[in-house]
Amino acid sequence: SLGLLVRLDDEEEIDGLVSGGLDWSGTTHPSRDDIRVRMAVSNKDRERFRMAMTADGDSQDEAVSGSLGLALFAEADEKFDGRVSGGLDWSDALEARMTVSNEGREKVHMAMTADGNSRFRERDGSLGLLVRVDNENEVDGLVSGSFDWSGTEDADQTDLRASMTVSNKQRERLHMAMTADGDSRNKAREGSLGLALR
């Protein structure tokens, strides 16, 4: 703590105190927040401002998660009591999430997934995004697609095939499929392109 007293012409102008603390003992106790910080400012024995912050996190194999908390009080009135938490997991597909809350109510939540496969001459994958504001799903989308060029080695197959689908709230919004095929003999070229939109 730090105290300051200023007197002018026998009148107390400032009689203030700043106090605080830092506790990182939670880094060795899994049941407590890793780090806790607090600070208070008062003048003439009246609290003017107080802040408390927490930080906690965990990592296991290929996953990381954590949270930050912040509470602010001015003139003994709570101004903000929020928390930001999130995580990242890449043990299978890639998953990331983040939530922002204030006074125990979720304000914003975002989650993202990414997954894909790669085989000989094929690629496919998907990206997902969920955005929730005040507990209402604003975006719940998925983009998936594939690209296959294995037909370039097999005369009975279309040379190239590609597709992409975009959906929101489990409803397809756009689907596109494309094919390309061709052949060349001596000095002649022939081919075809196909496109389907839904």
Side-chain angles (χ1 to χ4, degrees):
S1 66
L2 177 69
L4 175 65
L5 172 64
V6 176
R7 217 179 351 236
L8 288 169
D9 293 330
D10 253 356
E11 293 286 324
E12 282 185 7
E13 298 296 327
I14 298 174
D15 182 7
L17 181 67
V18 176
S19 61
L22 171 65
D23 180 357
W24 62 92
S25 62
T27 57
T28 58
H29 293 90
S31 61
R32 292 173 42 191
D33 288 325
D34 288 346
I35 298 172
R36 291 177 291 173
V37 178
R38 60 183 167 69
M39 182 181 82
V41 177
S42 60
N43 186 32
K44 298 183 181 175
D45 292 326
R46 188 167 163 211
E47 182 179 274
R48 299 295 184 178
F49 175 79
R50 182 167 32 114
M51 177 197 80
M53 189 201 91
T54 60
D56 198 17
D58 194 16
S59 80
Q60 298 169 343
D61 300 323
E62 295 174 338
V64 178
S65 62
S67 63
L68 289 172
L70 177 64
L72 297 174
F73 300 84
E75 302 285 339
D77 184 25
E78 186 176 75
K79 298 296 182 189
F80 181 79
D81 183 8
R83 189 165 204 78
V84 176
S85 60
L88 180 65
D89 185 346
W90 61 95
S91 57
D92 184 23
L94 177 65
E95 297 174 22
R97 67 189 186 293
M98 182 184 80
T99 304
V100 178
S101 59
N102 185 30
E103 296 177 359
R105 287 188 56 213
E106 179 183 284
K107 294 298 185 183
V108 177
H109 174 76
M110 185 185 82
M112 187 210 76
T113 60
D115 197 8
N117 288 308
S118 169
R119 291 174 290 282
F120 179 57
R121 291 177 185 242
E122 296 176 53
R123 304 286 186 269
D124 62 65
S126 63
L127 288 173
L129 177 65
L130 170 68
V131 176
R132 200 166 48 221
V133 178
D134 286 330
N135 248 357
E136 293 288 326
N137 282 356
E138 300 296 330
V139 176
D140 185 2
L142 182 68
V143 176
S144 59
S146 64
F147 186 71
D148 182 350
W149 67 96
S150 59
T152 57
E153 299 291 315
D154 188 344
D156 294 333
Q157 284 189 26
T158 303
D159 289 347
L160 300 172
R161 289 176 294 179
S163 68
M164 181 180 78
T165 304
V166 178
S167 61
N168 187 33
K169 298 182 182 177
Q170 298 181 348
R171 193 168 152 214
E172 184 179 286
R173 301 295 182 178
L174 170 71
H175 176 77
M176 181 183 77
M178 188 204 84
T179 60
D181 199 14
D183 196 8
S184 71
R185 285 178 235 129
N186 295 334
K187 294 185 177 183
R189 305 271 189 274
E190 61 181 49
S192 64
L193 285 174
L195 178 64
L197 288 174
R198 197 168 58 214

